[in-house]
Amino acid sequence: MNKRTYTLVWVLALCGTLAAQPQRGIKMMNAAFDKFLQSKALLTKDTHWSHGMDEYYFKVTAQGDTLSMPKPLQKLLNSFSQSTQWASAAFFHQSEDGKTPFNSLTYQRADNYFAGITGYFSFEDDCCFRIVNFTVDGQLTSYGLKWRLIAFADREGRPYRTIDGVVFRLFDGIWTMRPPFNSSNMAYGDIATQSRSLSQYDEKGYETLHRQMQYLAGQYAEMQKKGDEMGCDAVVYYIQKLCKDFTGRLTEQQYLAVKDELRKVTTEQNSERQRIVNDCNMRLWRQTDNKLPTTSHFAFAHDGDFVKPSQWRYLQENYKLDSVQRQRIRVTLSGQASANASEVQVKTLLPYEQKPYTLMPNQSRFSFSSTFDQGQLLKISDNQGRQLLIFADSIDTEVRLSDGMLSGSALNERFARCQQRLLALKPELHRYACWDRGGWEVMDQEGYNRLMDEAHELQLQMARENLDNLIPAFYLSENYSMMTADELKPFLQHGRAYADHVAMQPVWQYYEDLQKRLPGMLFADGQAVDRFDSVHHLSEYIGHGDYVVLHFWSMAGTQLCRRDQRLVKQLYNQYKGKNLQVVSVMTGYRQQAWGEYVRKRDLKYAQLYCRDKEDTNLFQLYGVTALPESILFGPDGRIIACGLSGDDLKAAIERLPLKDRPTQ
């Protein structure tokens, strides 16, 4: 045996020995992980998602122009490097390396209550990360660390430096990790897919799109028959890619034909696949030329930076587009993108977002011209995170995205100044929260809430200052789900310049629905069924001397509803010896799956399900279109408060003069 062959055999044997000892790496990482979390030098928040997944956010902040790497973080970094000798896969990236090799990683495992639990982690170019995986008997244990250094100044100009980061650990479960979206040239180690690659297709051709969708729908059916969950995941992934890559326009008939193929991809047993397919459907609908006159639009009320977690909502917004007189005008704009921006997008906002127009700046300069509805809200943004909103009008507009400056019509110049006032508060968010996954993880609740209240009041103030133009249409559409009927009433007057703007339609509807659940009103009776299909009326629970929480939610309403369901369960267990009852009402999901969820989660308080065709729909009866939501009733059956969720619900119950129930 020559020397080269001997060395190769020795290396392979050594690698086999090391690969057979992944438990050593797991033990090392567990010890390092736990020691890091015990560090008093780091402000840490536990965001435990589910059994088998730990996620912790941490933050280090210093006033001034410098911030050194804390020792606990440096030690954890060293552990990631040392443990790779036992890992089945490892991914390392530094911000100075430039573009990240992938934008996201998705982990998935089986679950007793849902078809699966999903962990999603995103990675931006300016972040650093370490990820190591260990595979034992086909089960994946994974550790991750992501952080970024951020420099900012508060409103007084004082400089700050902060390290925002997250560590995560996936354990005790059959986890799988999906391939990163944009890293087809990488080796994944323990990542495997069993799917046929798509052939190249004409991105603008409907016929090709339709054929590919038919093929994928057929492949999905075959994978389902085989029980191949990984194959199903791969097909849904390619459906998502196909829809993302399609840049053409569709007629209504073409859209409906493609939608029929999407319907064949039955994903009810898997919430993550269902989310992806729903997103694909909405994406294609936005590219349909002939919009239906009436449409429902689902949105999150936490898209902006200035929304408390307790006010996050999943909204159903209904629009009647044929009721709006829409004059088409040509919009011409030009401007300067941020430094290093390679792409600028222009897209419509409210009532729907069409596929954006993508512009490639030339030495940071860009120009654009197209036709839109008069007064349509447009968002201009670049891939460096800068954006500016304008109302479509016929006056040429010049924008500078780096600082939000604008030259154009008097309305848009005024609107830009409003946006700058709100944007001035954003840097201070870094004092109270970590930025991750396109949202904020709160570390200092008191300071964060104070800033949120200030931002909310500023937006309403800017709406009050502009009652003679369109600007309130935007700020009210952003804030209405956080407002009471008394707060909305002064703004909702017919005849004002913004009253008939299309963005105001859900605002008007929300206000009308609030009239069905105003404080002081006597409860309205209605019926629903329990998990044994027995009919119950609200009058069985409300108006008999107890305080009652009527909690509305949906299993299809994302993690927001499930988060609140956990809180409601905690409150029930805490106060079950008091004169407080909890009645939970669900809709929008399969009744059998809901019943299993109730049984396996051991939810002992009243659980009701609305069958739309058979019952008096309690959601319509109380005008609930934003989920989750709780209505609090007094002992006499009258409403005490509505619009409650999260910390607001908890605080409202803590203020009640509850009494102990008499012992039997």
Side-chain angles (χ1 to χ4, degrees), residues 57 216 297 343 508 602:
Y57 289 87
L216 290 171
H297 170 82
E343 182 178 288
W508 283 101
D602 194 26

Side-chain angles (χ1 to χ4, degrees), residues 6 245 460 464 516 542:
Y6 176 82
D245 289 345
L460 298 188
R464 286 190 289 268
K516 301 176 182 179
I542 304 175

Side-chain angles (χ1 to χ4, degrees), residues 214-462:
Q214 286 177 318
Y215 169 75
L216 290 171
Q219 288 293 302
Y220 189 86
E222 288 187 19
M223 296 297 177
Q224 272 195 317
K225 288 180 181 178
K226 296 177 183 178
D228 186 348
E229 291 297 310
M230 187 176 291
C232 288
D233 285 342
V235 174
V236 171
Y237 164 76
Y238 280 115
I239 288 175
Q240 182 185 47
K241 185 179 187 304
L242 181 64
C243 293
K244 280 185 175 181
D245 289 345
F246 181 72
T247 59
R249 307 297 299 169
L250 297 172
T251 67
E252 184 178 325
Q253 290 74 24
Q254 290 172 339
Y255 160 70
L256 293 174
V258 177
K259 182 179 179 181
D260 284 341
E261 299 303 323
L262 271 177
R263 284 175 175 167
K264 297 175 183 177
V265 182
T266 54
T267 58
E268 287 186 344
Q269 298 297 326
N270 187 297
S271 58
E272 176 64 11
R273 289 183 209 148
Q274 185 66 57
R275 182 192 65 78
I276 293 173
V277 171
N278 289 343
D279 179 69
C280 290
N281 180 50
M282 181 60 71
R283 182 180 295 272
L284 293 175
W285 180 83
R286 290 170 183 161
Q287 294 168 240
T288 304
D289 288 326
N290 301 319
K291 303 296 181 186
L292 303 178
T294 303
T295 183
S296 291
H297 170 82
F298 289 90
F300 291 99
H302 63 286
D303 284 344
D305 293 316
F306 299 104
V307 183
K308 297 178 185 177
S310 62
Q311 295 171 328
W312 292 354
R313 294 291 189 275
Y314 187 59
L315 307 174
Q316 181 177 7
E317 300 181 329
N318 297 310
Y319 295 90
K320 294 182 179 179
L321 304 185
D322 56 351
S323 67
V324 182
Q325 296 295 324
R326 293 174 288 168
Q327 177 185 355
R328 300 290 289 181
I329 60 168
R330 176 159 290 278
V331 173
T332 301
L333 63 90
S334 56
Q336 187 91 17
S338 304
N340 301 321
S342 59
E343 182 178 288
V344 173
Q345 291 189 339
V346 180
K347 66 178 179 181
T348 60
L349 296 180
L350 305 171
Y352 52 82
E353 298 182 14
Q354 293 177 323
K355 192 174 182 69
Y357 297 90
T358 301
L359 316 174
M360 302 301 172
N362 182 9
Q363 295 182 340
S364 296
R365 292 287 305 174
F366 64 90
S367 60
F368 172 79
S369 181
S370 187
T371 57
F372 295 96
D373 297 343
Q374 174 80 41
Q376 169 72 57
L377 272 164
L378 303 176
K379 181 166 80 171
I380 310 155
S381 60
D382 62 27
N383 57 352
Q384 296 300 308
R386 302 287 186 171
Q387 68 176 45
L388 192 62
L389 305 181
I390 66 171
F391 289 99
D393 59 30
S394 56
I395 299 177
D396 291 359
T397 304
E398 170 80 15
V399 301
R400 196 166 66 206
L401 290 176
S402 58
D403 57 9
M405 297 297 292
L406 180 147
S407 174
S409 66
L411 171 65
N412 279 326
E413 289 181 357
R414 190 175 182 90
F415 191 24
R417 289 194 294 271
C418 289
Q419 294 172 69
Q420 288 174 329
R421 291 168 65 184
L422 188 62
L423 191 62
L425 301 181
K426 187 173 180 178
E428 293 191 32
L429 281 167
H430 291 292
R431 293 183 60 181
Y432 311 119
C434 288
W435 174 259
D436 186 65
R437 274 203 302 266
W440 298 92
E441 291 293 335
V442 181
M443 313 296 283
D444 179 349
Q445 194 70 56
E446 183 178 352
Y448 182 83
N449 285 345
R450 187 168 57 248
L451 185 62
M452 294 299 101
D453 291 338
E454 184 178 348
H456 178 68
E457 180 52 39
L458 175 59
Q459 291 177 81
L460 298 188
Q461 178 184 336
M462 291 188 294

